[in-house]
Structure formats: C-alpha cells, structure tokens
C-alpha cells in the first residue's frame, strides 16, 4: 500500500510570511495529488489538486508543485493570513478503474500568528 | 447545489449496542467513501462504493463494520456491538469518478460509553 509522510507536523508562521508543507509518497503509480484543509471541528475541504501530467498549479495564494521522480509534492501558501490556520492533509492517489483511492497523510497543523 | 449530508450529527451509544450512520452524497456523484477520524488524527479509509461495482471493503477494521449503498445514492454504515475504541468522527465523501476530488460531509461524531 501507499506510505505517505508529511513534513513538518506543525508549522508556525507570522502573518504575511509564506508556508510550505511537503508530502512524500511511496507508490510510483500515484497520479493524483490533492491537498485538503481542515479547520477545527469542521470537515476536510479540497483546496487544490494536481495531476501527474503537470508540475505546478496555482490558485491565488496557494500552489502545489509535484516532483514525480522524487515522489513528493508540496503545498505553498503565500501572504499567509490568520484564516489559513488549520490542519492540512495531503492525499496522493492512484486512479485505477476510474476511482481515486486517497491515502491521507497524518496532517500538518499550520498556525498563522497575527 | 446541496453538498454531502450526514446524519445524525452526533450519536452517543452504550457499549455493545448497534449504530447506523447515514450519508447522502452529492447528486450525480457515483463514488462514495467512508472514513474514520479519531481525535487529532488523520483520516482512516474504511470502504468505498463506485457505481454498481462491488465495494472495496479493505479498510474496515473488523467484521463488526459493514456498509450498504442503496440505489447508487444513499449509504448506511453499520457498526455492530460497538466498543469504546469505535468512538470517532465518521466522515463520508463523494466524488465524480472522472475528477478525483472528494467532497466531504460534516461527519457523525460517535461516542461509545
């Protein structure tokens, strides 16, 4: 099965600074790479995803970069704001028979200090 | 449109009792997933359904856990003879098979006393 590791497990940044979270995975067949944000007491929400045919995707202040050779992908948040404080999960997946089996990392708790 | 809904939002039960948790996926989503999240932990995959295919039950922790999906829409997760270690938030998600992105319901917080 897929082994997924996230680093760091906790991250504190000053408001306005950038934050980077890295996710490494073991299954070279993985071809879908999403990031989820979970605020305290709320459901996980998909914030950005990338597929294996592209190396980088950006959506306003967030971006995801993928290095398939090294089997890792990263979440980048620029100009952090207090509302970015949450736990972030990566969940690499292989699409087999049309369905995406996500394997979640253990999460990174991001704290943005005003 | 409406998102994924789950009921009940909270369930307190006594050890040894059976419980049923319900999930209504987003209309048109053919894939449905169940996860379990213990306090402060990540998401543990339990089971998924895709269309009319046989479900993938590989994540179910014991034979006390089972799930059904009727008519390709609503799903019910049943836990028999509940144990204290079953206490967790049970999350349901659905997706379009073609897209991959899973959209989660609000979860059911199960407490076994």
């Amino acid at each position: 099965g897929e082994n997924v590791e996230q680093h760091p497990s906790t991250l504190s940044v000053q408001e306005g600074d950038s934050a980077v979270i890295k996710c490494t995975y073991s299954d070279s067949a993985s071809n879908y790479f999403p990031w989820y944000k979970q605020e305290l007491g709320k459901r996980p929400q998909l914030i950005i995803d990338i597929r294996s045919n592209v190396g980088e995707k950006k959506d306003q202040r967030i971006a995801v970069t993928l290095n398939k050779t090294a089997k890792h992908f990263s979440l980048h948040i620029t100009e952090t704001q207090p509302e970015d404080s949450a736990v972030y999960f990566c969940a690499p997946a292989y699409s087999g028979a049309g369905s995406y089996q996500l394997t979640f990392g253990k999460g990174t708790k991001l704290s943005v200090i005003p | 449109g409406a998102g994924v809904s789950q009921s009940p939002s909270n369930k307190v039960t006594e050890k040894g009792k059976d419980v049923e948790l319900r999930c209504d996926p987003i209309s048109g989503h053919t894939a449905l997933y169940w996860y379990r999240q213990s306090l402060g932990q990540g998401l543990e995959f339990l089971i998924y359904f895709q269309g009319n295919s046989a479900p993938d039950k590989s994540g179910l922790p014991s034979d006390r856990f089972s799930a059904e999906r009727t008519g390709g829409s609503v799903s019910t997760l049943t836990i028999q003879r509940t144990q204290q270690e079953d206490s967790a938030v049970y999350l349901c998600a659905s997706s379009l098979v073609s897209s991959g992105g899973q959209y989660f319901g609000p979860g059911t917080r199960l407490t076994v006393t």
Side-chain angles (χ1 to χ4, degrees):
Chain A
E2 177 88 274
N3 290 319
V4 179
E5 291 188 1
Q6 282 183 235
H7 295 281
S9 57
T10 60
L11 179 61
S12 291
V13 299
Q14 290 292 134
E15 182 177 358
D17 287 351
S18 295
V20 181
I21 303 169
K22 184 176 178 179
C23 181
T24 60
Y25 61 95
S26 61
D27 189 350
S28 57
S30 292
N31 57 5
Y32 175 65
F33 307 94
W35 284 95
Y36 284 81
K37 173 184 180 183
Q38 188 175 30
E39 296 176 71
L40 190 63
K42 297 191 176 180
R43 74 190 79 183
Q45 288 189 303
L46 176 67
I47 55 171
I48 195 166
D49 57 11
I50 195 170
R51 299 177 194 278
S52 58
N53 57 337
V54 295
E56 181 174 357
K57 182 177 178 181
K58 194 171 182 180
D59 182 3
Q60 299 183 339
R61 296 187 298 107
I62 60 172
V64 54
T65 58
L66 171 65
N67 184 329
K68 278 215 79 181
T69 303
K71 290 188 282 188
H72 65 73
F73 62 111
S74 297
L75 176 69
H76 305 254
I77 306 174
T78 59
E79 300 172 27
T80 52
Q81 300 169 3
E83 53 265 38
D84 295 329
S85 295
V87 178
Y88 291 83
F89 294 96
C90 64
Y94 167 65
S95 171
S99 186
Y100 291 77
Q101 285 270 55
L102 304 184
T103 302
F104 283 81
K106 294 188 184 300
T108 296
K109 183 177 181 180
L110 173 65
S111 299
V112 179
I113 304 163
Chain B
V4 178
S5 61
Q6 292 185 245
S7 61
S9 55
N10 281 285
K11 176 72 176 178
V12 180
T13 190
E14 292 180 352
K15 177 182 173 181
K17 302 276 189 179
D18 298 352
V19 295
E20 284 190 352
L21 313 179
R22 178 189 168 105
C23 172
D24 282 90
I26 293 171
S27 178
H29 281 194
T30 56
L32 186 149
Y33 306 78
W34 283 98
Y35 295 89
R36 178 167 71 174
Q37 187 173 33
S38 300
L39 187 63
Q41 300 297 310
L43 281 77
E44 175 189 4
F45 165 76
L46 298 176
I47 185 171
Y48 93 85
F49 299 86
Q50 179 196 332
N52 296 320
S53 302
D56 178 347
K57 304 178 182 180
S58 59
L60 295 178
S62 78
D63 59 7
R64 295 186 296 104
F65 288 73
S66 63
E68 290 185 340
R69 189 178 186 192
T70 54
S73 181
V74 172
S75 177
T76 302
L77 177 69
T78 301
I79 309 174
Q80 295 179 309
R81 306 181 302 282
T82 52
Q83 304 293 314
Q84 287 187 329
E85 59 262 30
D86 299 336
S87 296
V89 176
Y90 288 81
L91 290 157
C92 172
S94 69
S95 72
L96 284 169
V97 168
S98 59
S99 74
Q102 294 184 17
Y103 296 87
F104 284 82
T108 293
R109 181 175 297 279
L110 175 66
T111 303
V112 182
T113 62

